[in-house]
C-alpha cells in the first residue's frame, strides 16, 4: 500500500477539495493581488495532490493493473484542464502550449519517473526486474503516439509551420484514441499478466498486503472527492494562469517553459507513487505509472485539444523543433535498450535521469 494512503493523510485530502471549491468561488472572475495568488497556488497544489490521493484510493480498491490506469487518467485529466484553461487565457502566445506540455510530460515520465524508479529499485536490490513484454508494448505505444502527434506536424506541408491541417489533426486525434484504447484492452483484459509485478526469479510476485483494500463506501467517497478536486483544479488553474505566465517571464525563461511547469506540477504526485513502488520492489508498477502517464498524456490530450481547437483562436502548433526531436529520438532508443533485457541496474536509471536533466536545461536555455 502506498504511503499516500496512510490514515493520517486522509484528513487533509478530504478537506482540500471542498476548501479548493470555496477558494474558487471567492476568486472566480476577479484579479487578486500577490498574496491571494500565492494562496491560490498553495490550494491548487493541494487540490492536485488530493486528486491523485483519491485516485490512489480508488486504484487500490480495483487492484493492478487497473490502479495504474486510474492514476494515469486522473493525472491526464488535470493536465488537459490546465492546458485548455491556459490556452484559452493566453491567446496566440499559447499556440504551442499543448505541444510543450505534452512533450514535457513524455520526457518527465519516460526519463524522470522511469529513471528514478530504476535507480531506486536497483539501489536497494542490486538489479531490478520487470516484465519486458508489457513494458516494451507500452514503450512502443508511447513512441508511436509521439511520432503521430508531435513529430509528423514538423514535416507535413499542408500548413506552413509545424501545424496539422484540420483533416490531419482529426486523423491524429482518432488514431491516438484508437491506440490508447487498444493498449488499455491489452493491459486490463487480454494480457493483464504482462503488467503485474515480477519476482527476482522471473515469476509473478506475490503482493504483500500492506493495508486492507478500502471499503466500497470509502472508494465511492474518494471518487466523489476526486471529481470535486478535478473541478477545483480546472477553475483554480484559470485563476492562476496569468501569474504562472508572468512568473516564467520574470525569471527570463522562454514562454515554452510554461508547459514544463504544468507537467512538473501534475506529475509530482505520480513521481512519488512510482518511487514508493520501486522501493518496495514493485518496479513494474512504477513503469506502468510512468509509461501509462506518457501514453495518456498524448492519447487523451491531443484529441481533447483537437476538439478545443474549433473555438480556440490562432494556430495549434504541435510539431517539435530540431532539439526536441533529437531528445525524443534518444529517449526512445535508450528506452528500448533499457526495456529489452527485462532487468536494469543503476546505470540505466542514471542514463535516463541525465536525459531528463538535458531536457530541463535546454528547455530553460534553448
Amino acid at each position: 500500500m502506498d504511503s499516500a494512503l496512510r490514515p493520517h493523510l486522509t484528513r487533509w485530502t478530504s478537506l482540500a477539495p471542498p476548501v479548493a471549491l470555496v477558494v474558487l468561488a471567492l476568486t472566480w472572475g476577479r484579479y487578486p493581488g500577490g498574496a491571494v495568488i500565492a494562496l491560490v497556488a498553495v490550494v491548487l497544489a493541494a487540490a492536485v495532490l488530493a486528486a491523485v490521493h483519491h485516485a490512489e484510493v480508488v486504484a487500490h480498491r480495483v487492484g493492478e493493473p487497473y490502479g495504474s490506469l486510474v492514476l494515469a487518467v486522473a493525472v491526464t485529466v488535470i493536465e488537459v484542464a490546465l492546458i485548455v484553461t491556459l490556452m484559452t487565457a493566453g491567446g496566440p502566445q499559447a499556440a504551442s502550449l499543448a505541444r510543450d506540455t505534452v512533450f514535457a510530460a513524455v520526457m518527465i515520465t519516460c526519463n524522470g519517473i522511469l529513471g528514478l524508479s530504476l535507480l531506486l529499485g536497483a539501489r536497494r536490490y542490486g538489479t531490478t526486474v520487470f516484465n519486458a513484454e508489457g513494458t516494451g508494448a507500452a514503450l512502443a505505444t508511447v513512441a508511436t503516439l509521439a511520432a503521430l502527434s508531435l513529430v509528423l506536424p514538423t514535416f507535413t506541408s499542408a500548413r506552413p509551420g509545424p501545424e496539422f491541417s484540420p483533416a490531419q489533426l482529426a486523423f491524429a486525434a482518432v488514431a491516438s484514441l484508437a491506440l490508447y484504447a487498444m493498449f488499455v484492452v491489452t493491459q486490463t483484459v487480454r494480457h493483464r499478466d504482462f503488467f503485474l509485478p515480477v519476482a527476482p526469479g522471473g515469476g509473478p510476485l506475490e503482493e504483500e498486503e500492506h493495508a486492507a483494500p478500502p471499503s466500497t463506501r470509502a472508494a465511492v467517497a474518494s471518487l466523489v472527492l476526486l471529481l470535486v478536486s478535478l473541478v477545483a483544479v480546472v477553475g483554480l488553474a484559470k485563476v492562476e494562469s496569468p501569474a504562472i505566465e508572468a512568473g516564467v517571464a520574470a525569471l527570463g525563461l522562454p514562454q515554452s517553459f510554461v508547459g514544463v511547469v504544468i507537467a512538473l506540477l501534475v506529475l509530482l504526485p505520480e513521481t512519488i507513487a512510482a518511487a514508493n513502488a520501486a522501493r518496495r520492489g514493485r518496479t513494474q508498477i512504477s513503469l506502468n505509472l510512468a509509461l501509462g502517464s506518457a501514453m495518456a498524456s498524448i492519447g487523451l490530450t491531443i484529441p481533447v485539444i483537437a476538439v478545443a481547437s474549433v473555438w480556440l483562436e490562432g494556430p495549434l502548433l504541435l510539431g517539435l523543433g530540431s532539439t526536441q526531436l533529437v531528445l525524443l529520438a534518444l529517449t526512445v532508443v535508450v528506452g528500448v535498450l533499457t526495456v529489452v533485457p527485462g532487468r536494469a541496474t543503476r546505470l540505466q536509471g542514471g542514463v535516463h535521469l541525465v536525459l531528463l536533466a538535458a531536457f530541463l536545461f535546454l528547455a530553460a536555455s534553448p
Side-chain angles (χ1 to χ4, degrees):
M1 184 71 170
D2 194 276
S3 60
L5 300 182
R6 290 173 183 167
H8 72 273
L9 288 182
T10 305
R11 291 189 293 272
W12 79 263
T13 52
S14 298
L15 289 174
V19 169
L21 277 185
V22 172
V23 172
L24 174 60
L26 294 175
T27 56
W28 184 258
R30 296 178 172 85
Y31 298 93
V36 177
I37 282 293
L39 175 62
V40 171
V42 172
V43 174
L44 174 60
V48 171
L49 292 171
V52 178
H53 164 80
H54 292 295
E56 286 185 337
V57 173
V58 177
H60 187 54
R61 174 66 181 177
V62 300
E64 287 295 329
Y66 304 99
S68 298
L69 179 63
V70 170
L71 285 170
V73 171
V75 168
T76 304
V77 168
I78 298 173
E79 178 186 325
V80 171
L82 290 170
I83 292 173
V84 172
T85 52
L86 287 173
M87 288 186 71
T88 302
Q93 292 184 340
S96 63
L97 182 61
R99 175 199 67 192
D100 297 333
T101 306
V102 170
F103 179 63
V106 171
M107 297 303 291
I108 291 169
T109 53
C110 293
N111 287 316
I113 299 179
L114 188 146
L116 180 63
S117 299
L118 295 179
L119 184 64
L120 291 175
R123 182 172 179 270
R124 181 168 184 178
Y125 299 98
T127 301
T128 186
V129 296
F130 48 88
N131 194 316
E133 294 167 307
T135 308
L139 181 61
T141 307
V142 171
T144 303
L145 286 168
L148 287 175
S149 300
L150 301 177
V151 176
L152 287 181
T154 303
F155 300 100
T156 54
S157 57
R159 288 286 182 92
E163 183 182 358
F164 272 145
S165 68
Q168 291 169 339
L169 182 59
F171 172 80
V174 172
S176 296
L177 277 177
L179 277 172
Y180 185 70
M182 289 170 61
F183 178 81
V184 169
V185 172
T186 301
Q187 184 185 38
T188 60
V189 181
R190 296 291 184 183
H191 300 285
R192 180 174 176 270
D193 55 313
F194 286 1
F195 301 91
L196 297 178
V198 178
L205 183 66
E206 294 295 331
E207 283 288 337
E208 300 174 7
E209 288 296 329
H210 292 263
S215 64
T216 301
R217 180 178 179 181
V220 170
S222 283
L223 179 61
V224 172
L225 289 171
L226 171 61
L227 295 175
V228 172
S229 297
L230 295 180
V231 171
V233 166
V234 174
L236 292 176
K238 177 76 171 178
V239 175
E240 193 73 14
S241 59
I244 294 175
E245 294 175 345
V248 169
L251 292 172
L253 299 173
Q255 184 69 20
S256 60
F257 203 80
V258 174
V260 180
V261 173
I262 295 174
L264 288 171
L265 172 65
V266 300
L267 290 170
L268 177 59
E270 198 85 333
T271 303
I272 296 172
N276 288 333
R279 290 192 190 98
R280 301 197 307 270
R282 272 62 177 170
T283 304
Q284 185 62 53
I285 294 178
S286 301
L287 300 186
N288 290 348
L289 288 168
L291 297 176
S293 295
M295 201 181 309
S297 180
I298 307 174
L300 299 180
T301 300
I302 297 302
V304 172
I305 297 301
V307 174
S309 66
V310 174
W311 73 82
L312 290 174
E313 297 181 1
L316 178 61
L317 306 180
L318 290 177
L320 297 175
S322 55
T323 302
Q324 296 168 318
L325 288 172
V326 171
L327 287 173
L328 179 61
L330 189 56
T331 296
V332 172
V333 171
V334 172
V336 170
L337 296 175
T338 298
V339 166
V340 167
R343 59 181 60 240
T345 64
R346 300 182 195 184
L347 175 60
Q348 285 94 333
V351 170
H352 282 281
L353 290 176
V354 168
L355 282 175
L356 174 67
F359 161 71
L360 294 174
F361 176 76
L362 293 172
S365 179

